[in-house]
């Protein structure tokens, strides 16, 4: 029998919540200025930038001719944009130190100013923007925003907003913005310093139906399993990730917690080794919506969300031994992130199948890699899962899960597909006659992988591992702004920002 791998467990206790979080400012190069000058000396232009943006310049007068005349005509553009007009990127190096911009010639490696600056902590660029649909001007949520051919990225939030933090070495790389049903955008990273709004054009995603009849579901499933080693990494990887967990009671936020985590990803062809998780740094909100009786705690947290890698865990709708327990249908072929994929619908043949999921998976048409899956419990499995999911509750309290939905996405990097994002959305009905309580709790857990590196690590020390029995919010410490400054996260949407009560 296939082992039940995806378990979202809940502890309902008579307790409440604490603490807060905040984001730091990015690079001074992001500050914007408006300058209209024709044939003015460079020194005057730099003075205007200093006055408008409250920054200072440091340079060797022998290397920078401040008497040369230049013309600048910009409205609300970043300092980085302006300085790259004034100083050729191939010849000059721009660095920052606190509120100071240091300009040197690249060939002068022994310059004492550069030597001093090398000891200064790197200040990352914060690239912010909002994605909207061209026709209806609606936000485009959960779009991928990543650096081309590098495992660096984030996703847009429910309002279409994103925040991508980049090392200065990557500021001239290409950023790829993609979302199913829209044309992909490729844009130099530095241009995002001046772009607040990016418009995604809807595209026709259906391919000729004749393509669908070229393969049967049974053959497709066989090809998925045969190509696992070709499509997914057979090497151990160390992944950096961002994890956020929110809990709402009757639509009001009662808990917001997040963390940077390490994931030791075992090879996909080694089913005997589990993926390991450790917390790097965590934080939690203050009492965003205090309530009198119950504290709703999710067990497993980051450990459980990593198990949503259905390819690695070989979930029931992929597992060969369950194939006859499911009905599969290839419903269409679409473009997904600029690549053709089969859309495969699946559901249990009988209500007796456990765990029984209803959902869809996207299978790459050429390589047979699973690149996306979304699925939920069918009604009978949801009822059967109650005893597994509800771990602890006070006497007299009745609780049952009413909805469980999972989503997982993969990205291609160096010829292999890797876990990119995962989400678990779980609702519970909780009743207590004694306390006159009849509430619905809704928890959303999000995982975003922001970096992937090869590693020789085989395990994390036992005391560092996060386990399925751990309660996430109990493992978190106080907010550390300096630590969080340069980590990519999923930007909070407006409702979540309001829940923080201006404590960000």
């Amino acid at each position: 029998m296939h082992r039940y791998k995806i378990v979202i467990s809940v502890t309902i206790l008579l307790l409440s919540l604490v603490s807060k979080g905040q984001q730091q400012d990015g690079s001074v190069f992001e500050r914007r200025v408006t300058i209209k000058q024709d044939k003015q000396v460079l020194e005057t232009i730099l003075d205007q930038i200093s006055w408008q943006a409250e920054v200072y310049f440091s340079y060797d007068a022998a290397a920078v001719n401040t008497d040369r005349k230049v013309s600048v005509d910009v409205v609300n553009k970043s300092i980085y944009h302006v300085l790259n007009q004034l100083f050729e990127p191939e010849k000059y190096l721009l660095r920052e130190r606190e509120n100071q911009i240091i300009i040197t010639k690249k060939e002068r490696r022994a310059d004492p100013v550069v030597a001093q600056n090398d000891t200064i902590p790197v200040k990352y660029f914060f690239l912010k923007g909002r994605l909207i649909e061209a026709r209806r001007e609606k936000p485009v949520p959960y779009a991928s925003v990543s650096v081309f051919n590098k495992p660096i990225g984030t996703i847009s939030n429910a309002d279409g907003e994103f925040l991508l933090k980049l090392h200065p070495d990557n500021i001239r790389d290409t950023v790829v913005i993609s979302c199913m049903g829209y044309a992909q955008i490729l844009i130099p990273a530095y241009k995002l310093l001046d772009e607040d709004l990016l418009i995604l054009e809807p595209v026709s995603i259906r391919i000729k139906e004749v393509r669908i009849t070229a393969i049967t579901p049974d053959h497709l499933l066989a090809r998925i399993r045969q190509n696992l080693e070709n499509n997914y990494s057979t090497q151990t990887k160390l992944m950096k990730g961002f994890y956020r967990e929110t809990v709402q009671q009757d639509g009001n936020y009662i808990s917001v917690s997040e963390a940077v985590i390490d994931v030791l990803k075992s090879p996909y062809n080694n089913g005997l080794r589990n993926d390991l998780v450790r917390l790097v740094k965590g934080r939690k909100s203050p009492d965003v919506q205090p309530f009198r009786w119950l504290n709703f705690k999710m067990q497993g947290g980051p450990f459980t969300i990593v198990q949503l890698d259905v390819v690695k865990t070989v979930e029931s709708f992929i597992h060969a031994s369950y194939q006859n327990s499911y009905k599969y249908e290839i419903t269409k072929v679409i473009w997904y992130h600029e690549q053709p994929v089969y859309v495969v619908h699946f559901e249990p043949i009988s209500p007796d199948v456990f765990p029984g999921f209803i959902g869809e998976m996207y299978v790459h048409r050429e390589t047979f890699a699973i690149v996306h899956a979304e699925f939920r419990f069918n009604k009978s499995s949801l009822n059967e899962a109650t005893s597994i999911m509800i771990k602890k509750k006070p006497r007299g309290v009745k609780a049952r899960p009413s909805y469980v939905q999972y989503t997982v996405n993969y990205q291609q990097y160096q010829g292999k597909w890797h876990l990119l994002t995962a989400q678990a959305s779980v609702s519970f009905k909780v009743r207590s006659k004694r306390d006159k309580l009849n509430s619905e709790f809704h928890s959303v857990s999000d995982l975003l992988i922001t970096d992937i590196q090869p590693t020789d690590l085989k395990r994390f020390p036992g005391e560092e591992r996060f386990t399925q029995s751990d309660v996430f919010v109990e493992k978190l410490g106080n907010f550390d702004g300096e630590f969080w400054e340069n980590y990519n996260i999923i930007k909070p949407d407006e409702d979540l920002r309001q829940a923080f009560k201006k404590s960000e």
Side-chain angles (χ1 to χ4, degrees):
M1 178 64 70
H2 178 65
R3 185 167 60 91
Y4 182 49
K5 296 183 173 68
I6 302 174
V7 180
I8 301 290
S9 301
V10 171
T11 299
I12 304 173
L13 303 173
L14 300 171
L15 298 170
S16 97
L17 313 165
V18 289
S19 199
K20 69 176 181 178
Q22 181 178 357
Q23 282 297 314
Q24 302 297 305
D25 293 329
S27 167
V28 297
F29 289 111
E30 300 166 25
R31 299 176 189 176
R32 296 191 182 184
V33 295
T34 296
I35 299 174
K36 293 188 177 184
Q37 293 289 343
D38 184 42
K39 296 181 180 178
Q40 278 285 354
V41 295
L42 177 60
E43 185 175 15
T44 300
I45 305 298
L46 296 180
D47 286 344
Q48 285 199 28
I49 296 174
S50 293
W51 176 74
Q52 287 190 39
E54 297 182 343
V55 297
Y56 302 93
F57 290 95
S58 176
Y59 51 83
D60 183 349
V64 178
N65 179 12
T66 55
D67 292 327
R68 68 182 173 95
K69 293 186 176 182
V70 296
S71 297
V72 178
D73 186 356
V74 297
V75 178
N76 196 32
K77 295 294 184 181
S78 65
I79 294 176
Y80 187 87
H81 175 97
V82 177
L83 293 181
N84 274 275
Q85 286 188 7
L86 301 174
F87 300 95
E88 298 177 60
E90 296 79 14
K91 295 181 180 180
Y92 289 91
L93 186 65
L94 305 174
R95 295 189 177 186
E96 66 174 288
R97 180 181 184 182
E98 296 177 349
N99 222 32
Q100 187 177 126
I101 295 175
I102 302 168
I103 306 170
T104 58
K105 276 199 168 183
K106 283 190 173 180
E107 60 266 28
R108 298 191 63 185
R109 300 294 181 185
D111 191 295
V113 176
V114 177
Q116 181 186 13
N117 192 58
D118 284 341
T119 65
I120 300 168
V122 173
K123 195 75 171 178
Y124 277 52
F125 284 92
F126 288 12
L127 308 182
K128 305 172 186 176
R130 186 166 183 257
L131 308 178
I132 63 169
E133 182 183 303
R135 295 177 186 171
R136 295 182 292 174
E137 298 187 355
K138 290 186 176 181
V140 179
Y142 311 118
S144 172
V145 182
S146 60
V147 179
F148 182 68
N149 275 344
K150 292 181 180 174
I152 303 169
T154 185
I155 57 175
S156 60
N157 65 14
D159 299 323
E161 299 172 343
F162 68 87
L163 171 60
L164 179 65
K165 301 177 184 180
L166 283 188
H167 190 282
D169 290 348
N170 300 120
I171 194 61
R172 302 194 74 82
D173 287 349
T174 298
V175 170
V176 182
I177 300 170
S178 57
C179 186
M180 186 179 70
Y182 298 92
Q184 197 174 68
I185 295 177
L186 281 80
I187 183 172
Y190 65 85
K191 288 193 174 181
L192 291 174
L193 294 171
D194 305 301
E195 298 287 343
D196 294 317
L197 205 63
L198 292 104
I199 299 173
L200 275 66
E201 295 284 347
V203 295
S204 176
I205 60 176
R206 190 179 291 272
I207 300 176
K208 293 179 182 179
E209 297 290 341
V210 68
R211 297 283 189 180
I212 301 175
T213 62
I215 189 170
T216 66
D218 286 350
H219 182 55
L220 183 61
L221 288 163
R223 297 297 295 271
I224 289 170
R225 301 181 195 110
Q226 291 167 5
N227 286 277
L228 283 178
E229 288 191 27
N230 294 330
N231 290 324
Y232 303 91
S233 177
T234 56
Q235 305 296 321
T236 302
K237 301 291 183 180
L238 182 61
M239 296 178 166
K240 189 72 70 179
F242 169 74
Y243 174 79
R244 176 181 289 146
E245 181 177 287
T246 64
V247 180
Q248 291 177 289
Q249 181 186 13
D250 299 327
N252 297 313
Y253 282 98
I254 60 173
S255 175
V256 180
S257 309
E258 53 193 23
V260 171
I261 64 173
D262 283 334
V263 180
L264 191 60
K265 195 74 179 168
S266 62
Y268 278 82
N269 61 344
N270 188 342
L272 299 178
R273 281 183 57 189
N274 292 324
D275 298 335
L276 302 179
V277 177
R278 68 180 174 191
L279 294 178
V280 178
K281 183 78 74 170
R283 59 186 183 184
K284 51 190 173 182
S285 67
D287 289 337
V288 292
Q289 184 64 43
F291 58 107
R292 288 182 292 170
W293 297 294
L294 299 177
N295 184 23
F296 192 92
K297 293 188 177 183
M298 306 296 293
Q299 286 188 320
F303 176 89
T304 301
I305 201 77
V306 169
Q307 302 303 307
L308 280 177
D309 185 349
V310 295
V311 177
K312 178 66 173 65
T313 58
V314 195
E315 195 42 67
S316 61
F317 50 84
I318 302 171
H319 204 283
S321 64
Y322 267 70
Q323 185 163 329
N324 293 330
S325 299
Y326 276 91
K327 175 185 176 183
Y328 300 89
E329 181 185 4
I330 301 174
T331 60
K332 54 189 172 182
V333 178
I334 65 172
W335 287 105
Y336 180 73
H337 292 182
E338 303 296 307
Q339 300 188 69
V341 299
Y342 296 103
V343 178
V344 183
H345 176 82
F346 54 86
E347 59 182 75
I349 292 174
S350 164
D352 297 330
V353 176
F354 184 81
F357 294 110
I358 300 172
E360 290 183 335
M361 54 182 166
Y362 296 179
V363 182
H364 193 274
R365 193 184 61 180
E366 308 301 331
T367 65
F368 302 100
I370 295 175
V371 300
H372 166 85
E374 52 189 72
F375 53 103
R376 68 185 189 277
F377 276 123
N378 65 345
K379 186 176 180 179
S380 60
S381 290
L382 190 62
N383 292 334
E384 193 169 343
T386 300
S387 60
I388 301 174
M389 301 182 76
I390 306 293
K391 289 294 186 183
K392 186 189 295 185
K393 58 185 174 64
R395 181 177 298 177
V397 172
K398 294 182 179 180
R400 63 177 178 83
S402 57
Y403 177 82
V404 178
Q405 172 81 31
Y406 301 119
T407 305
V408 59
N409 289 289
Y410 298 84
Q411 68 174 348
Q412 200 167 27
Y413 172 58
Q414 293 184 344
K416 300 288 186 179
W417 291 90
H418 300 82
L419 180 66
L420 173 61
T421 65
Q423 184 184 83
S425 178
V426 183
S427 291
F428 291 87
K429 295 282 189 180
V430 180
R431 297 174 57 192
S432 172
K433 289 183 178 180
R434 182 188 61 190
D435 296 317
K436 296 181 181 180
L437 177 70
N438 186 3
S439 287
E440 181 173 65
F441 290 81
H442 182 209
S443 172
V444 177
S445 304
D446 282 295
L447 172 68
L448 168 68
I449 299 299
T450 60
D451 191 31
I452 304 170
Q453 299 294 336
T455 183
D456 293 327
L457 278 175
K458 300 299 182 186
R459 61 186 63 84
F460 294 145
E463 66 274 12
E464 295 182 7
R465 295 179 200 169
F466 195 95
T467 69
Q468 187 169 344
S469 61
D470 290 328
V471 175
F472 179 54
V473 295
E474 294 178 350
K475 294 286 186 178
L476 305 183
N478 295 324
F479 175 71
D480 183 345
E482 185 177 346
F483 168 85
W484 281 89
E485 185 173 10
N486 297 327
Y487 279 96
N488 276 305
I489 68 168
I490 306 169
K491 189 174 183 180
D493 57 31
E494 182 60 28
D495 287 344
L496 195 52
R497 288 194 293 268
Q498 291 298 320
F500 270 111
K501 294 184 175 179
K502 300 180 180 179
S503 66
E504 279 192 309

